[in-house]
Amino acid sequence: QVHLEESGGGLVQAGGSLRLSCAASGSFFSINAMGWYRQAPGAQRELVTIITRGGSPNYADSVKGRFTISRDNAKNTVYLQMNSLKPEDTAVYYCYAVATRSHWGQGTQVTVSS
């Protein structure tokens, strides 16, 4: 079983920055892909970014150039640096990790005011 603990959400003004963290704990051999999804009110959950165990990232077009994902395999932790935040980035952000199956965090709220 894998438990994902997210932190770092909050309220920020447009143009500001936030850094999310997600630490995986529990019983597993290794974590493969890790990433972040988000879900805005009334919308479907969407992929924001994902990174392989080897460190190769992919980003949604809407966040390219503004968000950066990184991970520390020794700590089983993934980070999301979010810069130049926009009101449309407002959502609950969910950590995602793949071990033998997919796992989700409980989500952290990010609110960007205009």
Side-chain angles (χ1 to χ4, degrees):
Q1 185 66 17
V2 176
H3 175 71
L4 300 176
E5 187 72 34
E6 300 136 328
S7 61
L11 173 64
V12 65
Q13 289 188 329
S17 298
L18 282 174
R19 188 187 194 218
L20 305 183
S21 299
C22 173
S25 61
S27 177
F28 52 87
F29 178 68
S30 67
I31 299 291
N32 298 312
M34 298 186 79
W36 297 90
Y37 282 70
R38 68 185 181 187
Q39 188 167 18
Q44 289 188 329
R45 191 173 296 190
E46 63 175 3
L47 175 66
V48 177
T49 178
I50 196 162
I51 187 168
T52 67
R53 183 169 181 81
S56 298
N58 279 291
Y59 297 95
D61 287 344
S62 59
V63 305
K64 282 181 181 176
R66 299 188 299 122
F67 291 11
T68 303
I69 189 171
S70 60
R71 66 186 286 173
D72 183 334
N73 290 333
K75 296 181 179 179
N76 291 310
T77 300
V78 64
Y79 306 96
L80 181 61
Q81 179 66 43
M82 304 185 293
N83 298 329
S84 302
L85 282 160
K86 304 175 181 181
E88 51 262 45
D89 295 317
T90 295
V92 177
Y93 283 69
Y94 295 92
C95 180
Y96 168 82
V98 179
T100 55
R101 63 175 182 87
S102 301
H103 300 271
W104 294 91
Q106 291 194 331
T108 184
Q109 178 69 45
V110 171
T111 302
V112 184
S113 63
S114 57

